[in-house]
């Protein structure tokens, strides 16, 4: 897809930034285990083209980001130091400095001492309540500490939030889009605006309420919408099916009624059979059964094999697939079958355009690709909520605020 076909803002390619100091908002909000080890460095890797583009133009790059949800105060487990270590690993030839703080004097000195062609990563923005509060004073401190000439937004995962590092800062510095941000907007809007048909959407995950706008928009643009994951349970219950002890979302009757009313005949496809178990545990025995055979003490944890076959059939006929949300409790092997079959079916389709969105889905697909290195997806998005809002047709504050 032609660059900036849908991204209507100025990017770093539109302005001469040679030798300037850049305040770069990246998305280093990477998944970590209990030992503070990064389990997927995908978001950091996806930010490298923008960082290298800036360094090639002799810029000094001050990177700001967040990780997790610390409540406006420093917490060791949310430090960006592991991200710094990973970035240095990925760019061994570059001198990268880490500032233990975000806006105090030591951060200012670290930024001042760096020279063009070097990187400084500041500590987690959310250690200060001013970040989430979209506080202008905090944004002013960021400008002052960094000494930046330009602000560059490249954190697609955060542009749906009006925070100090996405919105307030754009009132203080000329604000440009990074290469990743432009690519994300182009890919996601492109697939919603000009899809190669048939367009099949696969929606999983837990909550309907998080994805109402997305599902309604899909019913306008997609030829078929396949529903799986815990979200399907809420639809099944609405249709008076016994769902046992399965997770579902109460109070969604009006919304589901509206969705069914909006769907064309045969457009919305629900599971015909499911994988169930007595409990959610790695030792659980999986049982596959039809929708009308679920027992009161069972939990639905995956789509069934018949449904996998049906879903695969739709994928085989598709030219474009959008996938958001796992189809089952994919953390446990025996309930990952639906998601694995879907990943393989999409990946095996030559010439198909495949867009994967949502944090859990992206993590699942990236893990799957580690074990299936020949696999291929057109675009794996770095944004969860931001991607959903963009594809639902909403404006994103962090994009609207750019030049």
């Amino acid at each position: 897809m032609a660059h900036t076909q849908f991204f209507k803002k100025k990017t770093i390619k539109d302005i001469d930034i040679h030798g300037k100091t850049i305040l770069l908002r990246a998305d280093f909000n990477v998944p970590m285990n209990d030992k503070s080890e990064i389990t997927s460095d995908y978001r950091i890797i996806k930010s490298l083209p923008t960082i290298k583009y800036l360094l090639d133009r002799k810029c000094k790059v001050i990177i700001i980001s967040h990780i997790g949800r610390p409540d406006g105060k420093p917490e060791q487990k949310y430090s960006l130091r592991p991200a710094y270590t990973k970035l240095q690993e990925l760019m061994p030839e570059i001198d990268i400095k880490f500032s233990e703080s975000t806006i105090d004097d030591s951060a200012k000195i670290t930024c001042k001492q760096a020279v063009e062609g070097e990187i400084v990563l500041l500590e987690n923005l959310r250690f200060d309540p001013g970040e989430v509060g979209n506080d202008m004073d905090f944004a002013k401190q960021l400008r002052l500490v960094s000494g930046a000439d330009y602000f560059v937004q490249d954190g697609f995962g955060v542009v749906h939030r009006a925070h100090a590092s996405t919105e307030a800062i754009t009132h203080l510095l000329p604000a440009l889009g990074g290469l990743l941000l432009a690519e994300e907007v182009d890919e996601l809007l492109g697939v919603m605006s000009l899809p190669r048909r048939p367009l099949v959407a696969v929606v999983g995950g837990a909550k309907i309420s998080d994805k109402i706008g997305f599902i309604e928009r899909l019913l306008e643009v997609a030829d078929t919408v396949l529903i799986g994951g815990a979200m399907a349970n809420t639809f099944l219950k609405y249709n008076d099916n016994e769902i046992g002890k399965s997770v579902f979302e109460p109070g969604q009757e009006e919304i589901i009624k509206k969705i069914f009313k909006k769907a064309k005949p045969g457009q919305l496809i629900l599971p015909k059979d499911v994988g169930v178990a007595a409990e959610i545990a790695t030792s659980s025995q999986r049982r596959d059964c039809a929708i009308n055979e679920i027992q009161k003490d069972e939990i639905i944890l995956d789509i069934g094999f018949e449904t996998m076959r049906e879903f695969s059939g739709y994928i085989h006929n598709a030219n474009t697939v959008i996938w958001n949300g796992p189809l089952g409790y994919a953390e446990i092997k025996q309930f990952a079958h639906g998601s694995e079959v879907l990943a393989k079916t999409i990946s095996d389709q030559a010439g198909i355009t495949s867009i994967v969105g949502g944090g859990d889905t992206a993590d699942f697909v990236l893990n799957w690709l580690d074990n299936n290195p020949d696999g291929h997806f057109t675009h794996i998005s770095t944004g969860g909520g931001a991607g959903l809002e963009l594809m639902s047709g909403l404006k994103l504050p962090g994009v609207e605020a750019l030049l």
Side-chain angles (χ1 to χ4, degrees):
M1 191 167 293
H3 175 59
T4 63
Q5 188 178 348
F6 293 94
F7 190 76
K8 304 294 187 203
K9 299 290 184 173
K10 280 193 164 37
T11 74
I12 50 178
K13 291 188 167 176
D14 295 318
I15 284 186
D16 180 13
I17 47 174
H18 200 273
K20 300 294 187 193
T21 298
I22 305 292
L23 183 63
L24 173 66
R25 176 55 159 112
D27 182 7
F28 289 174
N29 186 20
V30 287
M32 292 209 279
N33 62 19
D34 298 341
K35 299 182 195 145
S36 293
E37 295 160 341
I38 295 173
T39 53
S40 168
D41 56 4
Y42 183 68
R43 285 179 166 181
I44 299 177
I45 288 170
K46 291 294 280 182
S47 70
L48 295 182
T50 296
I51 296 171
K52 286 174 176 166
Y53 183 93
L54 296 170
L55 294 177
D56 287 347
R57 278 146 193 80
K58 302 282 186 282
C59 294
K60 171 163 54 169
V61 183
I62 315 297
I63 301 177
I64 49 176
S65 185
H66 81 281
I67 199 163
R69 293 187 173 173
D71 202 13
K73 50 189 182 295
E75 269 186 81
Q76 192 48 48
K77 69 172 176 177
Y78 293 126
S79 173
L80 275 170
R81 188 169 272 287
Y84 158 75
T85 307
K86 177 58 72 176
L87 187 64
Q88 188 68 83
E89 243 173 67
L90 293 166
M91 307 182 82
E93 70 292 350
I94 304 295
D95 189 13
I96 307 176
K97 296 178 171 63
F98 182 67
S99 167
E100 302 282 351
S101 63
T102 317
I103 54 168
D104 69 7
D105 286 345
S106 69
K108 191 175 178 181
I109 291 163
T110 306
C111 291
K112 209 173 173 64
Q113 285 173 345
V115 298
E116 58 183 36
E118 287 183 357
I119 297 172
V120 177
L121 174 61
L122 300 181
E123 185 54 284
N124 195 336
L125 289 163
R126 292 191 183 174
F127 284 177
D128 192 297
E131 162 62 3
V132 172
N134 197 17
D135 181 59
M136 190 54 85
D137 286 331
F138 182 63
K140 282 176 180 164
Q141 292 292 329
L142 288 173
R143 183 190 62 181
L144 195 71
V145 162
S146 64
D149 303 300
Y150 287 94
F151 169 71
V152 173
Q153 176 57 267
D154 210 34
F156 179 64
V158 292
V159 288
H160 59 313
R161 307 265 184 243
H163 288 171
S165 69
T166 59
E167 206 277 330
I169 191 72
T170 64
H171 299 285
L172 305 171
L173 287 166
L176 308 169
L179 305 181
L180 172 62
L181 181 68
E183 179 198 348
E184 289 273 17
V185 171
D186 274 350
E187 289 285 356
L188 300 187
L189 284 185
V191 79
M192 294 301 271
S193 310
L194 301 165
R196 288 166 48 239
R197 298 194 176 278
L199 164 59
V200 175
V202 185
V203 187
K207 287 185 160 179
I208 295 175
S209 55
D210 290 349
K211 298 183 182 177
I212 303 164
F214 180 54
I215 295 172
E216 290 189 335
R217 183 86 180 91
L218 285 174
L219 291 173
E220 290 166 15
V221 299
D223 296 288
T224 313
V225 180
L226 311 175
I227 304 279
M231 179 182 290
N233 303 348
T234 309
F235 281 93
L236 293 172
K237 189 170 173 63
Y238 175 87
N239 284 342
D240 291 331
N241 290 290
E242 171 64 64
I243 61 164
K245 298 188 294 186
S246 309
V247 171
F248 76 102
E249 198 179 1
Q252 301 298 308
E253 292 78 14
E254 285 305 308
I255 285 159
I256 292 183
K257 196 195 255 172
K258 195 173 158 191
I259 288 171
F260 276 132
K261 201 171 161 187
K262 185 162 187 171
K264 299 175 197 77
Q267 186 185 20
L268 195 70
I269 310 292
L270 294 171
K272 303 223 173 351
D273 63 338
V274 286
V276 296
E279 56 175 349
I280 302 174
T282 47
S283 58
S284 291
Q285 283 291 3
R286 174 182 175 127
R287 179 176 92 86
D288 277 67
C289 66
I291 293 302
N292 58 0
E293 293 169 358
I294 300 161
Q295 304 300 311
K296 283 194 172 5
D297 59 348
E298 290 181 315
I299 307 168
I300 302 170
L301 293 169
D302 197 6
I303 58 172
F305 291 105
E306 198 48 52
T307 302
M308 289 176 211
R309 272 194 286 278
E310 185 183 14
F311 281 16
S312 296
Y314 283 105
I315 304 293
H316 283 305
N317 293 322
N319 275 315
T320 306
V321 176
I322 298 169
W323 179 13
N324 187 293
L327 293 183
Y329 200 88
E331 296 89 331
I332 296 179
K333 190 76 188 136
Q334 58 270 39
F335 307 117
H337 296 327
S339 300
E340 283 170 353
V341 166
L342 181 65
K344 183 167 174 24
T345 308
I346 294 173
S347 179
D348 285 351
Q349 290 291 99
I352 196 173
T353 301
S354 51
I355 306 284
V356 176
D360 292 343
T361 326
D363 289 345
F364 175 84
V365 167
L366 291 166
N367 281 333
W368 184 85
L369 285 169
D370 283 343
N371 300 316
N372 299 273
D374 296 337
H376 171 75
F377 294 84
T378 311
H379 182 75
I380 303 173
S381 179
T382 57
L388 280 178
E389 291 192 14
L390 184 68
M391 292 167 91
S392 304
L394 300 176
K395 301 271 187 227
L396 306 179
V399 173
E400 294 303 308
L402 304 176
L403 292 176

